[in-house]
Every structure is written in C-alpha cells, then in structure tokens.
Amino acid sequence: MASWFGHVEPAPKDPILGVTEAFLADPSPDKVNVGVGAYRDDNGQPVVLECVREAERRIAGSMNMEYLPMGGSVKMIDESLKLAYGEDSDFIKDKRIAAVQALSGTGACRLFADFQKRFLPDTQIYIPTPTWANHHNIWRDAHVPQRTFTYYHPESRGLDFSGLMDDIKNAPDGSFFLLHACAHNPTGVDPSEEQWREISHQFKVKKHFPFFDMAYQGFASGDPERDAKAIHIFLEDGHQVGCAQSYAKNLGLYGQRAGCLSVLCDDEMQAVAVKSQLQQLARPMYSNPPLHGALIVSTILSDPELKTLWLKEVKGMADRIIGMRKALKENLEELGSPLSWEHITNQIGMFCYSGMTPEQVDRLTKEFHIYMTRNGRISMAGVTTGNVAYLANAIHEVTKSN
Amino acid sequence: MMALAVDVSRFEGVPMAPPDPILGVSEAFKADKNDLKLNLGVGAYRTEELQPYVLNVVKKAENLMLEKGENKEYLPIEGLAAFNKATAELLLGADNPVIKQGLVATLQALSGTGSLRLAAAFIQRYFPEAKVLISSPTWGNHKNIFNDARVPWSEYRYYDPKTVGLDFEGMIADIEAAPEGSFVLLHGCAHNPTGIDPTPEQWEKIADVIQEKKHTPFFDVAYQGFASGSLDEDAFSVRLFVKRGMEVFVAQSYSKNLGLYAERVGAINVVCSSPEVADRVKSQLKRLARPMYSNPPIHGAKIVANVVGDPTMFGEWKQEMEQMAGRIKNVRQKLYDSLSAKDKSGKDWSFILRQIGMFSYTGLNKAQSDNMTDKWHVYMTKDGRISLAGLSLAKCDYLADAIIDSFHNVN
C-alpha cells in the first residue's frame, strides 16, 4: 500500500546525540565523554541530589494525582519567583509578575515565543551568536522572525563587547533580545557586571525588551543570588523583563521537565491578564504541566533545611567544575602549550569553548577517543580528576603546532 | 512603584482570556460554599466517597521506583523506550503484526493533549492543505489544538438530540462529502462529551467510507479500559482500522485509566505502511517536539512502564480498571432508576444507560445547565455534559431532582 508519508523526509541527525552514540559504541578503556550536557560527579556518574531524594521520600504516597491548575503549581511558581527576583522583591509583593509553571527551559521559551507571536506580532527576536541550537528551533516553530547579534569573540575566546553594543544600538528601537542570564551556552562567556550595566543602559536608550534564559542559576558561580545579578541590574534600571527558569541542571531534575516562565507587567491587573493568556497558549499544547518535578522543587525551596542542603549541593557541583577548569588549564600550561588557555578559567558554567577547530576535534576523537561536539565545546561536567591529565595531554597534542 | 524604562507597557493591549469552559468549572466549584454542591465538570474519576483516587498499582509502582532510586537524566526526545513499547502493545495488542513488522512510530508525549498537538503540528507541516474533520460535538480542547496548530477543521454530524444518540447517516454523509485525503478525528471509545459510541457494525461502515475517500483516521483514545471495563475490548475500533491496513494516527492518554492526570503521560502513535516510513515519520515528530519541550517528563512514563511491564501489576491494574468502570455503570443505573421513578412526564431517560464511559450528555441546554449550577449547585459544562465519575450512588436522587427541574421548568 502506498504510504501517505512518501514526501516526509528523514530529519537530520542531532549532532549532540550522535556524539553520545559514538562514545557508547567505542570499546576503548581510555574513552572520555565531554559532549554530555548533564552534570557528572568525579566518577563520571549522573547525580541525584540528596535534597531531591529527601523531597521524594517526603512526597511519596501523600499526594493525589489530580490535574494541577492550568498555570501549574502555585507553590512552585512562588518559590521560583523568589529565587529569580529576590525574596523581598517589590514586584512579587505588588503581584506584578505573570508567571506559569513550564516544561523546563524549553517550554518556558516556547510559551514566551508563542505569546510574542500572538500579542506582539510585529516583534522579532535577537539571538546571540552562538547560542543553544534549540533557541533557533523554538522561535522558528513559533513563527517569530529571528535576527542574530554579535556575542562571541573567537580570537580572544571571550566576549565581543563592542560588536555586541553596536548590534544593540543598530537594532530598531523596541527590539526583543534573548539574553543568557549566566553561564552562556555553549561558550561559557558571560558579560562582567560593568558590561551588564552598560548593556542595560543601552537597552533603556533603545527601549529594547530583555528576555532572559536562566538555565544555570546557582550552577554557574555556586551562588544563586550572584548568578541572577544580570536580571537584578535590569530590574533596578526599570526594565520590563521576561525570564525562563529551568531546574534541569541546578536541581538535577533533567527528565522531570520543571521550569517557570515569568513576565514583569505594569500592575497586578495586567499580570493577571498576561498569565491568563499564557495559560491559554499552554492549554492546546499540553493542558497543564506535570506534577512530580514541581512537587520536588516546591518541597525543597520552601523548607529551610532542604533549601540549605540544596545551596550546599549546588555549590558543590559548581565548585567541582571550577576546580576542573583550573586543573585543565594548569595541566596544559605544565605541558608547555604555546597557546593561552586563560579562557578555560575565564569562562563559566558547564561548557568551555576551547577554540579548537573541527579538524582538531576529529583528531581528539580518532587518536584519543575523546568525544565532544565539533564546534570545540567541552562539557566540563565530563572532566574528572581521573581523566583531566589525559584530556590535557590530548588537547596539547592536537594544538601544539598551532 | 519603580519607574518603568519604557513609556508604555508592551503588554498594554493584552486582554483577559476567558475562563476555560472545562477546567474553569472546577475553579468555580471550589469557590462555592454550599454543602450540597456537586462537581460533575471535569472528567476526573472519584470514589463513592467523592474522593480522588490513586490506584493501588500506581502507589506500588511509585514505591518500587523510590526504592530503586534511579537517576533523573533526560529522556530521549521520543521518550522512555520501555513506555513506548508498552503503550503500543496495550493499544494494538502485543501480537499485532504491525508491531512485529516495525510499522508503528510511537512517541511519548504530554498526555492526550500533547499527543494530539504533535500530530496536529505534523499534519500542518506535511499536509498543509488538508482538513481535520471533528465530531459535533467533541471535547472542547480539540478545536483549540487544531486552531493553535493552524490546521483547518470542519465538523461532521454526530450527536442527534432527537434520539440522544448517534446521527449515523449524518456522520457517514459528512465524512463522504469531505475532500479526499482529509483527516477524520474519531474517539476510540467512550466519546467525550456524549458517551455515545458507534456499534461494531457501524465502525465497519465508518472504516469503509474512510477507505473509499482515502481519508486518514485519527483516533483520540483517552478512555481505554474506562468504557467497557476491558482494555482490549475498548481498543476494538482502533484495531479494526489497523487490521484493514490503513495508516492511522492514534493519540493515547493515561490520565484517566491509570489516574495519572497530573503527570501528563500519553503517546502519539502513527501506524505506517513500512518500517522505513515509520522511521521518517518518527524523526519528524521528534523535530516538532524538540522546540516544544525537548523531551517528555519521566515520572509518569516510568509508572506506566512498571505497571504494564509486570504481569502481576498489570493484572491488578485490570482489576482496578474494572472496578472503576463498574462503579460508573452502577451510578448510571441508579441515576436512570431515580429519574424514571421521579419524572412523571413519561420522558424516556434510557439514553443514560446506552451511553458509555465517564460522561453523559443529558440533553440539557445552556440555560438549563446554568439552572443546574445556579439553583442546585451542580457544576457541569454548559453543553449539558455531566461527568458520572464525579457522581456517587448517594447523590443520584438529588441529581435526578435537579435534572428534572432544569429540564421541565427552564426553557
């Protein structure tokens, strides 16, 4: 029987997934996976936080499975807003924030993109170069036109600040910008506090709208308050902001799809209206969000003891990564590399944009069984005290003739 | 108030959305302080004591999961493999040739809604000229889903108010009149909101006309097990179409039959003509899911996989399923008995017994439904649908009084 789907082409292979598949298939005992986008401990194992295990023990058997309200768990939303906007935020007190529970960071971004399409149909989104690949997919599938803005400076492996500021100034007034609140993915390059202030000021001049994707709060520096600094700078400057929060990394809840979308409004009435429309967009997508991850988040964040434990554990994860950055850089320097590796410790968060070429990455894989994406991105979560010397040696081998 | 950097809010023109016609009912019910109040709005199962019910087999599965202490890594975009296998087998039968031949593309998705939305997005992308035919009436959210996915739809006749039954001739005529290659949305069993299902003979004729017009059948299966009490029996319609060798879309939900409402567990299945086609279709469904939510939530899927994958638990589930469906059948009978005894007008209430599943279409119009709420504190949807899952034997007499009053005394 002829199929109806004859014209349906196979989708291109996901580049990151391909890395993991190849890694798994490699029999070499030396193999290293630094392509993975999930935290690993010093033994290379996935981690479930103690605070999460304890929260699960507390919630087991005690809740029914009734549908959450359309906007999701009220408690989870309240705790998420406190985390992002500050415990004592006036915006929270004045009920000016429209917020809904979302399907992790992806779902939060998608809801905002759909909201833009429906209520701000003349707007577009400026996306940094480079960015997490799925950002492009999200705004494209929401049918919101995309532009890019300068971000990464390959020569210095750092921020192209003047290029960034030029693009902000040249964009039409009132443009929408996607900003990574901390631990930029994939480069690990964040603006400094002073630079954020300049960016915020220019946004005021141009009346741009900042939408923050905050997927690593707490995970970047180890201090959630510090990691939300960029958002607070913009709030102090009087901007209306939007924010996508994810608990995938900082609470290790990857597969639970726990997140929050918030939008700061003029007043309570407007916040109620905006929230109602966000719910209206969610209803024909998934009706209401999943419960389990939300229960874990709200149990932990609302309990002082569990929250303290979480702060300790998230700092532990961040510290391990910071330690591995230091170790990798020092190893490379000790090997006498002719290149500068400052960027390894200048960059922050899970990823390091090494500056290696695709050809060098291919050599790492073929000769040393080291797996990473061909853009030279190293997932520092995959680096351990056990493999950092081997990794440094391999990187040195393929780059020493530069 | 902190001064805004912009002169006027970007969201100045955003209007308040209307309350959801179904989910909004529960919210109104919660706000009502009257003791007699009854929530027959949302299709969520309640015990005789009108309490939510977490299945024993679900509690068992969750405890098992807690003990195992597995990690919480991302699922692949298509979801949990063990769940996908179990769900396709549950739907089609483990021995179904289409499964053995690798013809079924299955993706775990966000319950029924999410599964429907993925399919709708796929239809929009690959069949941009095609229309979806939906029953009149149908679940309220179906229209929202196709609207937001920008898939055009039209209705086929379904409910006949004169008989409070199926307008079978109208249904066939409308499906026949639709442009070739349309997608026909069918409720696998326990039609929502009417509770009226085609007979097996009628299903055969529906399949005939769909094949003749080269339409694609698109099943919404939200109540497998809840209609007759038997998981296999309730899959009859889907299996019939598949047996004919048709390419079929099926959206599944575990909200009601495993009581997993809040965990958003479901699947979209596409039965294709070859394994190669199934691979391509699956890859494109993944491409649609990735910018929506990246990968589906793990918790509910693990529960399903554990329950369906373990013969003992599966057996226990079947029993609990029978009990839930059985309670609803008892309540239908009691309501019918109460109505027949109390209503002196001679009106035939037997349609209540012929309808199947969680819902009953009472035939009450909007004004009458409003009377149910305003005078009797009975919460239901304005289309006259009541959820029998929210009714107890003890409340049948009260409900009968309310229905009789609304039907006879309100225009």
Side-chain angles (χ1 to χ4, degrees):
Chain A
M1 183 200 103
S3 169
W4 278 108
F5 311 122
H7 61 307
V8 176
E9 289 165 3
K13 280 220 171 303
D14 184 286
I16 299 174
L17 203 68
V19 170
T20 305
E21 281 173 0
F23 168 80
L24 289 169
D26 187 332
S28 164
D30 300 323
K31 64 181 180 178
V32 175
N33 186 357
V34 283
V36 67
Y39 181 78
R40 295 284 178 267
D41 65 13
D42 201 43
N43 296 313
Q45 294 303 307
V47 171
V48 178
L49 300 184
E50 253 317 299
C51 61
V52 170
R53 289 269 183 244
E54 176 56 29
E56 285 202 302
R57 278 190 285 268
R58 291 187 194 183
I59 67 184
S62 65
M63 300 297 290
N64 64 46
M65 295 273 193
E66 295 295 286
Y67 292 123
L68 281 174
M70 268 192 289
S73 156
V74 170
K75 210 168 158 204
M76 190 252 212
I77 293 168
D78 285 347
E79 292 299 332
S80 300
L81 294 184
K82 277 154 58 179
L83 197 60
Y85 293 80
E87 296 263 342
D88 299 314
S89 165
D90 280 332
F91 303 119
I92 297 178
K93 288 200 188 85
D94 296 339
K95 301 192 180 170
R96 286 178 52 191
I97 308 175
V100 293
Q101 181 188 338
L103 296 170
S104 206
T106 305
C109 287
R110 177 57 179 268
L111 268 188
F112 186 77
D114 282 348
F115 179 82
Q116 254 189 286
K117 175 67 181 171
R118 183 167 286 180
F119 293 102
L120 302 152
D122 298 328
T123 62
Q124 75 306 92
I125 188 78
Y126 279 80
I127 294 183
T129 305
T131 194
W132 179 48
N134 208 25
H135 281 144
H136 292 292
N137 298 335
I138 290 168
W139 269 270
R140 183 199 64 223
D141 274 24
H143 300 276
V144 174
Q146 299 179 24
R147 314 258 183 282
T148 56
F149 66 91
T150 306
Y151 192 84
Y152 179 66
H153 192 241
E155 291 74 30
S156 64
R157 329 273 199 259
L159 183 66
D160 183 347
F161 187 61
S162 58
L164 169 75
M165 293 304 283
D166 280 345
D167 284 354
I168 291 174
K169 287 171 192 154
N170 292 331
D173 280 12
S175 294
F176 279 62
F177 277 75
L178 171 69
L179 303 168
H180 296 226
C182 62
H184 182 272
N185 177 2
T187 67
V189 171
D190 285 350
S192 67
E193 196 175 310
E194 300 71 51
Q195 288 173 326
W196 274 124
R197 291 193 190 284
E198 280 193 56
I199 294 168
S200 172
H201 173 76
Q202 196 57 41
F203 265 54
K204 269 170 81 171
V205 170
K206 296 287 297 183
K207 299 189 187 347
H208 290 331
F209 183 94
F211 181 76
F212 286 96
D213 185 352
M214 185 155 66
Y216 297 97
Q217 188 183 10
F219 199 89
S221 69
D223 176 0
E225 217 176 290
R226 199 166 132 195
D227 289 346
K229 186 67 183 170
I231 295 179
H232 289 274
I233 287 171
F234 275 69
L235 290 171
E236 278 158 25
D237 277 355
H239 290 285
Q240 269 188 305
V241 308
C243 180
Q245 290 169 268
S246 166
Y247 291 101
K249 286 75 164 180
N250 58 8
L251 262 165
L253 294 178
Y254 307 92
Q256 304 289 342
R257 321 311 293 127
C260 182
L261 168 66
S262 56
V263 180
L264 177 60
C265 300
D266 265 351
D267 53 40
E268 184 178 350
M269 206 168 82
Q270 196 180 87
V272 169
V274 169
K275 177 170 173 152
S276 76
Q277 294 295 353
L278 293 173
Q279 288 174 186
Q280 189 95 315
L281 286 159
R283 174 57 161 154
M285 239 196 277
Y286 50 85
S287 281
N288 33 61
L291 173 65
H292 196 71
L295 278 179
I296 296 174
V297 173
S298 55
T299 302
I300 293 171
L301 294 182
S302 66
D303 178 293
E305 190 196 314
L306 282 180
K307 185 168 180 189
T308 304
L309 177 56
W310 171 57
L311 290 170
K312 181 162 156 255
E313 289 188 280
V314 77
K315 183 166 192 309
M317 291 194 286
D319 283 348
R320 191 183 92 65
I321 292 201
I322 291 168
M324 287 299 99
R325 286 184 180 276
K326 190 155 166 278
L328 182 59
K329 172 169 161 281
E330 283 170 359
N331 268 274
L332 282 162
E333 286 167 354
E334 272 156 39
L335 286 164
S337 171
L339 306 172
S340 165
W341 297 100
E342 291 292 318
H343 54 287
I344 296 182
T345 46
N346 287 338
Q347 292 166 4
I348 192 169
M350 204 181 268
F351 302 112
C352 164
Y353 234 39
S354 63
M356 286 188 286
T357 64
E359 294 70 36
Q360 289 168 333
V361 171
D362 288 343
R363 278 191 64 196
L364 280 181
T365 307
K366 285 196 188 71
E367 294 171 38
F368 297 93
H369 308 277
I370 292 172
Y371 292 82
M372 53 194 282
T373 46
R374 291 183 88 237
N375 56 6
R377 185 192 83 166
I378 299 175
S379 170
M380 296 306 302
V383 182
T384 66
T385 51
N387 66 25
V388 65
Y390 178 78
L391 179 63
N393 182 64
I395 292 175
H396 178 57
E397 282 302 309
V398 308
T399 60
K400 63 188 178 185
S401 54
N402 266 33
Chain B
M1 185 184 102
M2 203 160 286
L4 276 182
V6 293
D7 299 324
V8 172
S9 167
R10 286 294 185 351
F11 314 125
E12 190 54 39
V14 176
M16 185 74 186
D20 184 278
I22 301 171
L23 299 176
V25 172
S26 287
E27 287 171 25
F29 170 81
K30 274 197 201 99
D32 187 330
K33 304 291 172 227
N34 191 292
D35 279 338
L36 295 168
K37 69 178 182 176
L38 194 55
N39 187 358
L40 304 183
V42 71
Y45 181 81
R46 295 282 178 273
T47 62
E48 172 62 26
E49 295 73 36
L50 298 185
Q51 292 305 309
Y53 181 61
V54 179
L55 276 71
N56 291 324
V57 83
V58 167
K59 289 180 195 164
K60 255 195 199 176
E62 280 201 306
N63 283 330
L64 252 172
M65 284 156 59
L66 198 65
E67 273 165 44
K68 273 194 220 163
E70 287 166 333
N71 67 49
K72 302 196 176 308
E73 296 294 287
Y74 289 124
L75 285 176
I77 301 173
E78 66 263 38
L80 186 68
F83 167 81
N84 288 343
K85 178 171 186 290
T87 201
E89 290 180 358
L90 189 70
L91 177 69
L92 299 166
D95 294 326
N96 200 311
V98 299
I99 293 188
K100 294 200 168 136
Q101 290 158 31
L103 304 184
V104 189
T106 300
L107 260 76
Q108 179 193 339
L110 280 283
S111 202
T113 305
S115 307
L116 289 161
R117 180 57 176 266
L118 272 186
F122 182 88
I123 291 170
Q124 196 281 329
R125 185 168 282 184
Y126 291 100
F127 303 92
E129 309 295 313
K131 217 163 39 157
V132 173
L133 309 176
I134 62 179
S135 66
S136 171
T138 193
W139 179 48
N141 207 23
H142 280 145
K143 290 176 186 171
N144 298 332
I145 290 168
F146 294 114
N147 283 342
D148 275 25
R150 289 179 332 279
V151 175
W153 53 267
S154 68
E155 288 176 296
Y156 59 85
R157 279 168 282 172
Y158 194 82
Y159 173 65
D160 183 351
K162 288 193 277 343
T163 59
V164 197
L166 178 62
D167 179 358
F168 185 60
E169 274 79 48
M171 178 180 184
I172 296 293
D174 289 347
I175 293 176
E176 195 147 36
E180 224 182 66
S182 296
F183 288 79
V184 186
L185 188 65
L186 303 160
H187 297 228
C189 65
H191 183 272
N192 178 2
T194 66
I196 297 161
D197 285 349
T199 63
E201 297 74 37
Q202 288 172 328
W203 274 122
E204 297 274 0
K205 293 210 173 74
I206 294 166
D208 287 342
V209 69
I210 287 179
Q211 266 183 310
E212 185 194 306
K213 293 289 301 196
K214 302 193 181 11
H215 295 329
T216 300
F218 182 176
F219 281 96
D220 184 352
V221 175
Y223 298 97
Q224 186 181 2
F226 239 111
S228 66
S230 157
L231 290 157
D232 276 321
E233 215 178 291
D234 286 353
F236 167 81
S237 60
V238 173
R239 293 178 190 183
L240 183 149
F241 279 67
V242 168
K243 194 157 179 213
R244 292 208 185 187
M246 298 164 87
E247 288 181 319
V248 186
F249 284 75
V250 188
Q252 291 171 280
S253 165
Y254 290 90
S255 289
K256 287 78 169 174
N257 57 10
L258 257 171
L260 292 177
Y261 309 91
E263 298 300 351
R264 320 310 294 130
V265 198
I268 179 66
N269 302 271
V270 188
V271 182
C272 304
S273 62
S274 77
E276 187 263 330
V277 171
D279 280 345
R280 282 191 277 118
V281 168
K282 183 166 173 167
S283 77
Q284 294 297 352
L285 286 167
K286 282 163 67 171
R287 218 171 126 235
L288 288 159
R290 175 61 158 152
M292 258 196 240
Y293 52 83
S294 280
N295 37 68
I298 190 169
H299 192 73
K302 286 242 160 167
I303 294 173
V304 175
N306 272 299
V307 169
V308 176
D310 175 281
T312 312
M313 283 206 275
F314 192 27
E316 287 173 15
W317 178 32
K318 286 193 203 167
Q319 280 182 337
E320 285 191 271
M321 192 64 255
E322 273 170 33
Q323 279 166 21
M324 290 195 286
R327 189 183 93 64
I328 292 188
K329 282 188 195 151
N330 288 343
V331 156
R332 277 191 187 277
Q333 186 66 53
K334 182 89 208 278
L335 180 61
Y336 167 75
D337 292 342
S338 297
L339 282 163
S340 304
K342 286 164 179 276
D343 185 13
K344 305 301 177 202
S345 76
K347 178 176 162 66
D348 180 8
W349 294 100
S350 65
F351 61 83
I352 291 189
L353 295 176
R354 287 194 300 276
Q355 291 165 359
I356 195 168
M358 235 185 229
F359 302 111
S360 171
Y361 226 40
T362 57
L364 294 172
N365 63 31
K366 182 172 184 312
Q368 292 164 338
S369 301
D370 282 342
N371 185 65
M372 294 286 285
T373 307
D374 299 336
K375 182 171 171 188
W376 297 87
H377 304 275
V378 173
Y379 288 79
M380 51 191 280
T381 48
K382 302 301 177 198
D383 54 0
R385 182 191 87 167
I386 54 173
S387 170
L388 296 167
L391 181 62
S392 59
L393 293 169
K395 298 261 185 177
C396 283
D397 279 339
Y398 178 77
L399 181 60
D401 287 338
I403 291 174
I404 290 166
D405 172 61
S406 303
F407 187 78
H408 290 299
N409 300 333
V410 178
N411 167 39

